[in-house]
Amino acid sequence: MNPFDVFLVYPIINVLIAIYHLLIALHIPYALGFSIIVLTVLMRVALYPFTATQLKAAKKMQGVSHHVANLKEKHKGDAKRIQAETMKLYKEHGINPAAGCLPILIQIPIIWGLYSVLQQAVSVSPSAALAHINQIVYFPILHLDKTWDPTFFGVPLGQGPSNLFSTMGPVVILVPIITGALQYVQSKMMLPQVDKDAKKLQKKNDDFATTFQNQSTYIFPIMIAFVSYTFPMGMSLYWNTFSIFGIIQQYKISGWGGLMKKKG
């Protein structure tokens, strides 16, 4: 057996099935789709301490971004001096540039595990999923005695917009558009809120890292939208739920960030 599946994917599947059984007991329709939403929210809550650490570190970095831009202007052409002065500035403000890295590294395998769970839950036929899941659940009470409804409000969770375009029409294009839009909002909120003068100064002194960050704000949402056009709807349901709660958490910690223009 794959250790990744045994230690990460299978436990998450068991949680998903437990949620599914609870929703079925409550007679909630489209239980599989709502189970994915509930599981995603629980994952977001579990990851919140790490996400909060990452966002707080990013907020501190944003708070001194104008000073960093001034340093780049003052010591233009002297990369070593800029680096030394920037680290000195970070130290003065109690900023650890690496503080946001560990939370990201912790989140990656968990997010990928959840992605793998959804692949196994919605990307195969209900009968195949039934047989596979009954082999890996930990307790007999979690066994499925019949196949589940693989749709969510009539939309097949195991098929992507590219497969459904011929039967459902252009309306399915809304899914990748919404997915990309939510990702754009979240990416934009991660950027600092600056006034016009600071923005001009930053543009004048943009290095590769800053330029890449600004460009990825637009490129990454487009990539996510393109991927969601081909991936099963269940994946988009997970990703959009993840993004919405990410936006809420980010707003509570650092506000709208670069999504709103700074006055003055």
Side-chain angles (χ1 to χ4, degrees), residues 62-96:
Q62 291 175 7
V64 299
S65 60
H66 183 62
H67 298 295
V68 173
N70 286 330
L71 286 175
K72 291 179 179 179
E73 174 68 16
K74 183 178 179 181
H75 305 292
K76 190 173 183 179
D78 189 346
K80 289 184 178 181
R81 181 68 182 276
I82 292 174
Q83 183 179 11
E85 292 296 328
T86 301
M87 294 307 296
K88 182 180 178 181
L89 177 69
Y90 288 162
K91 187 175 181 180
E92 290 175 354
H93 288 81
I95 298 174
N96 179 6

Side-chain angles (χ1 to χ4, degrees), residues 84-238:
E85 292 296 328
T86 301
M87 294 307 296
K88 182 180 178 181
L89 177 69
Y90 288 162
K91 187 175 181 180
E92 290 175 354
H93 288 81
I95 298 174
N96 179 6
C101 298
L102 182 59
I104 294 175
L105 294 176
I106 293 173
Q107 290 180 58
I108 288 175
I110 297 176
I111 293 172
W112 184 251
L114 182 55
Y115 167 79
S116 299
V117 166
L118 297 180
Q119 275 193 316
Q120 297 183 32
V122 303
S123 296
V124 297
S125 66
S127 57
L130 176 66
H132 176 64
I133 287 170
N134 282 342
Q135 288 179 344
I136 61 176
V137 292
Y138 298 148
F139 308 103
I141 194 174
L142 295 180
H143 280 205
L144 299 174
D145 55 5
K146 61 180 179 179
T147 58
W148 50 34
D149 179 4
T151 67
F152 189 62
F153 291 98
V155 178
L157 292 170
Q159 298 183 48
S162 59
N163 305 116
L164 298 172
F165 188 87
S166 59
T167 55
M168 298 186 64
V171 68
V172 296
I173 301 297
L174 287 174
V175 174
I177 290 175
I178 292 172
T179 303
L182 289 173
Q183 187 60 52
Y184 171 77
V185 170
Q186 192 171 9
S187 299
K188 195 72 174 176
M189 288 174 67
M190 294 181 69
L191 297 177
Q193 189 181 65
V194 296
D195 55 33
K196 291 182 179 179
D197 293 336
K199 193 172 183 179
K200 289 179 181 179
L201 184 59
Q202 286 180 352
K203 282 185 176 180
K204 186 177 180 181
N205 294 283
D206 271 355
D207 53 18
F208 173 78
T210 305
T211 302
F212 177 78
Q213 183 185 37
N214 291 331
Q215 291 180 348
S216 65
T217 304
Y218 302 96
I219 296 173
F220 190 55
I222 293 174
M223 290 175 59
I224 291 296
F226 178 78
V227 168
S228 69
Y229 180 71
T230 59
F231 273 26
M233 287 290 194
M235 308 296 182
S236 295
L237 183 61
Y238 145 69

